[in-house]
């Protein structure tokens, strides 16, 4: 089978994916032409044992869960939100940030009312407030989440916070932290059975990355 | 052993029926629906707790079967020294894991229920291997034991309240989560690393048993019993089967229902486990039944794509007959069939791509 030859690696487009790829390069697992400007999406190494492809960060887990990729790098936020059935092998400690609740500076939580929560992360927000026994109304947005409390669309937002500067620039403050987020090395469960040695070689290389 | 030569999804049921019958398993047939109560009390035993329900003519709440195991448990005899062995090939109706809509799924599996011997248990694992092998693809069966997991937790002093979280982390080989849980429970960094290594442990079964003994697993009562059972199974399997069976701590099914050997099977080319099984003595007890039960199910819906890449023609030959007389057509059809090919006859050549070859009567080939 063609796919058996390769270890297929889904990398997230952007800075995180490039940083992860640099670890592969350092271990002598580089692919030809990956740094060249082109429209190519799939890159193979000279030995024909590794195949990299760049995908939208939020799609990495789907590629891995469905077996199109054997391993990949996905943010913990995506893993918590979509709960793909994959092995979560290693915390790369890259792209560190946190999932947090933020609100306007003058926000006071009124427990007598349903809390309106704007977020891209319905499941994470839902589970967090369920654990607090808080009644909420989730407003699913796809971007510019910070706008929601400013325009009265929501009371709070649940979103990723890195430095907090975007919140500050919009008159918002971090109200509570839900969890820490970082990039994780994930693997397809069936691939671990048939390409386990190759996958663990990559995992061990990442473990000694520093 | 029979191996499938044609389309896997078409031939699998009959090949497996014959294999299971040869091991003394009888065919179990069900009606398509049962009392809702049979399933609702144990809904977390099911892949998905959701069921298609409806009210029967007598006003009783019924459910289209989401699973076969519970019906078989209910119907099995309870007699000392007796084990009932059934196989089934039936449609079940449920929302697949990760899915968002009900599907009708052809599930093939078997159950061995009653006063089980060590051989009964080993035979089920061996039949699981044979089931995977008939696809003709490379296969792997990951095997574990609930006693081994409990022993592991005992050895590392995991508190009872956190065992479910540790089990979830082991199931996903989730090293960051194991490290976090160890930190939370004051487990040393050395032990945390060892637990992470156990989450990655995967060795052929015969080698694994010896390895775990050397690591002290036979010092703990529960894991020692589990190792003895796994050794019995390993020694009963053929050499080629034993090579494909690995001990892997990530095989964890519902701890409330399973209390023995648990396993999951993979076929090269399918992205998830196609077969799952285990010993469900705790479920038997909850259902008020004596003895134990062990079985597995093969999820045939996951095998559909194994034949991708092979053209699935309606017939080998399309015979375009035009206005040719029926007698001439019949003679031509017989000739083609006698040569071992399948033939589809139609008046014109529309849709000819459905067949590997087209023969037009009265025209040069």
């Amino acid at each position: 089978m063609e796919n058996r030859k390769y270890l297929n690696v889904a990398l997230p487009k952007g800075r995180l994916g490039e940083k992860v790829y640099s670890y592969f390069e350092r271990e002598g697992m580089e692919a030809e032409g990956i740094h060249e400007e082109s429209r190519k999406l799939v890159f193979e190494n000279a030995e024909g044992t590794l195949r990299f492809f760049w995908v939208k960060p939020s799609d990495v887990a789907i590629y891995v869960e469905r077996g199109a990729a054997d391993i990949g790098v996905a943010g913990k936020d995506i893993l918590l939100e979509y709960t793909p059935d994959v092995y979560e092998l290693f915390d790369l400690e890259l792209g560190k940030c946190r999932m947090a609740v933020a609100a306007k500076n003058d926000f006071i939580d009124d427990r007598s009312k349903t809390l309106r929560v704007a977020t891209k992360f319905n499941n994470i927000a839902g589970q967090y407030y369920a654990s607090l026994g808080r009644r909420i109304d989730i407003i699913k947005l796809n971007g510019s989440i910070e706008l929601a409390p400013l325009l009265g669309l929501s009371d709070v937002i649940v979103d990723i916070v890195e430095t907090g500067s975007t919140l500050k620039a919009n008159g918002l403050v971090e109200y509570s932290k839900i969890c820490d987020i970082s990039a994780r090395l994930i693997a397809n469960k069936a691939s671990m059975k048939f390409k386990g040695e190759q996958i663990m070689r990559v995992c061990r290389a990442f473990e000694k990355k520093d | 052993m029979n191996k499938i030569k044609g389309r896997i999804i078409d031939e699998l049921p009959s090949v497996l029926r014959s294999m299971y019958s040869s091991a003394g398993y009888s065919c179990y047939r069900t009606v398509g629906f049962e009392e809702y109560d049979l399933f609702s009390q144990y809904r977390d035993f099911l892949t998905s707790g959701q069921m298609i329900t409806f009210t029967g003519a007598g006003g009783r709440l019924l459910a289209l079967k989401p699973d076969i195991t519970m019906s078989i448990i209910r119907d099995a005899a309870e007699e000392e020294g007796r084990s009932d062995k059934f196989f089934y090939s039936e449609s079940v109706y449920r929302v697949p894991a990760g899915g968002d809509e009900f599907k009708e799924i052809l599930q093939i599996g078997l159950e061995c229920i009653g006063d089980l011997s060590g051989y009964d248990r080993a035979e089920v694992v061996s039949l699981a291997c044979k089931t995977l092998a008939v696809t003709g693809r490379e296969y792997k069966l990951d095997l574990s034991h609930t006693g081994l997991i409990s022993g592991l937790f005992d050895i590392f002093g995991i508190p009872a309240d956190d065992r479910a979280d540790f089990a979830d982390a082991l199931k996903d080989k989730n090293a960051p989560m194991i490290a976090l849980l160890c930190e939370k429970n004051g487990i040393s960094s050395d032990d945390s690393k060892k637990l992470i290594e156990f989450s990655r442990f995967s060795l052929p079964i015969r080698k694994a048993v010896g390895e775990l003994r050397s690591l002290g697993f036979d010092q703990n009562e529960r894991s020692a019993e589990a190792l003895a059972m796994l050794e019995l199974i390993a020694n009963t399997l053929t050499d080629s089967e034993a090579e494909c069976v690995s001990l892997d701590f990530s095989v964890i099914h519902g701890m409330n229902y399973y209390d023995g050997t648990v396993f999951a099977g993979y076929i090269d080319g399918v992205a998830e486990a196609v077969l799952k099984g285990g010993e469900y003595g705790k479920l038997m007890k909850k259902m008020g039944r004596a003895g134990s039960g062990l079985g597995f199910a093969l999820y045939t819906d996951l095998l559909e794509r194994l034949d991708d890449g092979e053209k699935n023609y309606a017939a080998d030959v399309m015979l375009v007959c035009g206005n040719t007389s029926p007698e001439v057509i019949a003679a031509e059809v017989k000739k083609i069939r006698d040569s071992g090919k399948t033939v589809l006859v139609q008046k014109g050549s529309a849709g000819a791509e459905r067949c590997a070859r087209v023969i037009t009567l009265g025209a040069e080939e």
Side-chain angles (χ1 to χ4, degrees):
Chain A
M1 229 178 117
E2 169 85 346
N3 251 0
R4 281 304 296 279
K5 215 173 110 184
Y6 295 97
L7 184 69
N8 293 300
V9 186
L11 293 173
K13 280 181 192 168
R15 268 183 308 168
L16 172 64
E18 281 159 23
K19 179 79 183 164
V20 172
Y21 176 70
S22 73
Y23 295 150
F24 281 96
E25 270 187 324
R26 198 194 54 192
E27 295 296 322
M29 296 188 268
E30 69 272 21
E32 287 170 15
I34 200 164
H35 291 303
E36 289 166 18
E37 282 283 320
S38 79
R39 288 177 181 272
K40 255 182 89 169
L41 296 170
V42 181
F43 301 88
E44 291 162 15
N45 68 342
E47 296 77 31
T49 54
L50 271 169
R51 185 153 58 188
F52 297 94
F53 39 90
W54 300 105
V55 299
K56 197 174 167 184
S58 56
D59 288 343
V60 169
I62 298 168
Y63 276 81
V64 175
E65 184 182 30
R66 296 290 186 129
D70 300 304
I71 57 172
V73 172
K76 183 67 183 173
D77 52 326
I78 300 297
L79 301 178
L80 287 171
E81 181 64 18
Y82 299 106
T83 58
D85 189 18
V86 294
Y87 290 135
E88 190 178 324
L89 296 177
F90 182 64
D91 183 352
L92 285 104
E93 297 185 14
L94 293 172
K96 281 185 172 181
C97 51
R98 57 199 177 274
M99 185 67 66
V101 179
K104 280 164 70 175
N105 293 321
D106 57 357
F107 168 72
I108 296 169
D109 191 2
D110 181 351
R111 298 280 301 193
S112 69
K113 290 181 182 166
T114 299
L115 187 71
R116 296 171 305 155
V117 183
T119 186
K120 273 193 281 191
F121 302 97
N122 286 19
N123 289 336
I124 295 174
Q127 279 174 24
Y128 173 67
Y129 282 107
S131 73
L132 301 178
R134 185 77 167 93
R135 197 172 52 177
I136 60 163
D137 175 16
I138 291 186
I139 301 157
K140 166 82 176 165
L141 294 177
N142 296 303
S144 302
I145 315 292
E146 295 85 0
L147 209 51
L150 302 181
L151 300 180
L153 178 63
S154 74
D155 301 310
V156 297
I157 63 171
V158 167
D159 205 10
I160 288 171
V161 178
E162 201 172 341
T163 60
S165 54
T166 311
L167 293 180
K168 200 172 170 189
N170 288 290
L172 302 175
V173 289
E174 191 173 328
Y175 191 72
S176 55
K177 185 176 95 172
I178 298 178
C179 61
D180 289 312
I181 302 290
S182 55
R184 308 295 164 98
L185 178 69
I186 58 173
N188 174 268
K189 290 192 168 178
S191 298
M192 275 296 276
K193 316 304 162 196
F194 300 101
K195 300 178 183 176
E197 272 182 39
Q198 289 162 276
I199 292 172
M200 286 317 295
R201 202 175 308 135
V202 172
C203 187
R204 308 253 184 240
F206 279 10
E207 281 175 334
K208 59 173 179 127
K209 69 183 185 339
D210 297 318
Chain B
M1 182 200 306
N2 281 335
K3 278 201 178 155
I4 290 169
K5 294 179 187 71
R7 285 197 356 126
I8 289 170
I9 201 70
D10 295 337
E11 296 188 22
L12 200 65
S14 64
V15 173
L16 292 179
R17 264 183 222 126
S18 138
M19 184 207 294
Y20 300 153
S21 298
S22 73
Y25 280 74
S26 318
C27 183
Y28 184 93
R29 287 200 195 287
T30 64
V31 289
F33 48 84
E34 288 247 26
E35 296 263 0
Y36 170 75
D37 284 352
L38 174 67
F39 307 110
S40 66
Q41 294 172 58
Y42 316 104
R43 62 170 68 223
D44 48 344
F45 177 74
L46 307 170
T47 311
S48 147
Q50 294 165 286
M51 283 171 261
I52 300 175
T53 56
F54 59 99
T55 308
R60 292 174 308 156
L61 187 59
L62 303 171
L64 287 182
K65 275 184 187 298
D67 186 73
I68 310 291
T69 306
M70 281 181 267
S71 306
I72 298 181
I73 291 175
R74 184 200 52 202
D75 295 344
E78 291 177 289
E79 233 178 299
E80 203 181 322
R82 170 175 174 163
S83 55
D84 278 340
K85 301 186 179 190
F86 294 112
F87 72 87
Y88 58 86
S89 173
E90 300 251 336
S91 284
V92 293
Y93 303 85
R94 62 175 173 234
V95 180
D100 53 11
E101 191 47 274
F102 283 96
K103 272 178 83 177
E104 179 183 5
I105 297 165
L106 174 66
Q107 186 168 299
I108 301 175
L110 58 81
E111 310 293 345
C112 179
I113 295 175
D115 190 0
L116 304 188
S117 68
Y119 178 79
D120 287 328
R121 291 175 167 95
E123 185 185 55
V124 170
V125 176
S126 172
L127 285 168
C129 291
K130 289 178 172 64
T131 299
L132 296 168
V134 292
T135 62
R137 304 292 178 106
E138 188 183 347
Y139 76 89
K140 301 279 180 194
L141 189 81
D142 276 357
L143 190 72
S144 185
H145 194 290
T146 54
L148 208 55
I149 303 295
S150 303
L152 180 76
F153 290 163
D154 289 345
I155 291 166
F156 284 90
I158 311 286
D161 288 352
D162 285 308
R163 289 190 174 199
D165 290 339
F166 270 96
D168 283 344
L170 270 181
K171 197 173 174 181
D172 290 337
K173 295 185 186 283
N174 190 334
M177 183 55 73
I178 293 171
L180 202 70
L181 289 168
C182 285
E183 199 182 320
K184 183 187 149 201
N185 284 288
I187 293 168
S188 73
S189 142
D190 272 0
D191 279 355
S192 171
K193 281 180 189 153
K194 281 181 195 162
L195 270 168
I196 289 171
E197 283 308 308
F198 276 117
S199 78
R200 294 169 177 173
F201 186 98
S202 182
L203 278 181
I205 184 71
R206 288 180 183 164
K207 200 173 167 192
V209 169
E211 179 82 10
L212 290 178
R213 284 221 168 96
S214 73
L215 290 169
F217 273 73
D218 53 354
Q219 304 299 313
N220 175 281
E221 194 184 337
R222 287 197 274 192
S223 57
E225 270 177 35
L227 279 178
M229 177 50 65
L230 293 174
E231 188 171 40
L232 185 152
I233 291 169
N235 292 339
T236 312
L237 296 173
T238 65
D239 289 347
S240 63
E241 285 167 358
E243 274 305 303
C244 297
V245 178
S246 296
L247 199 151
D248 192 312
F249 286 90
S250 72
V251 188
I252 296 177
H253 303 336
M255 301 284 261
N256 290 333
Y257 295 105
Y258 289 92
D259 61 352
T261 310
V262 283
F263 47 92
Y266 297 84
I267 289 174
D268 186 20
V270 183
E272 55 191 293
V274 298
L275 179 149
K276 283 185 185 169
E279 181 162 354
Y280 42 79
K282 283 188 187 171
L283 173 66
M284 298 273 294
K285 202 170 175 188
K286 282 175 200 246
M287 290 180 75
R289 309 290 298 186
S292 192
L294 179 66
F296 62 79
L298 178 73
Y299 305 108
T300 60
D301 56 319
L302 298 175
L303 304 178
E304 277 177 3
R305 308 211 71 92
L306 275 182
D307 296 304
D308 275 4
E310 291 165 27
K311 286 225 171 188
N312 182 23
Y313 289 116
D316 299 323
V317 177
M318 174 178 279
L319 188 65
V320 179
C321 60
N323 293 320
T324 311
S325 74
E327 294 80 3
V328 174
I329 298 169
E332 192 62 30
V333 165
K334 184 174 183 310
K335 208 165 88 186
I336 295 169
R337 280 192 187 141
D338 287 349
S339 72
K341 293 198 164 25
T342 56
V343 56
L344 168 74
V345 181
Q346 69 173 33
K347 199 170 168 187
S349 61
E353 67 282 359
R354 289 173 294 157
C355 298
R357 188 178 161 210
V358 178
I359 297 176
T360 306
L361 282 178
E364 291 292 317
E365 278 185 33

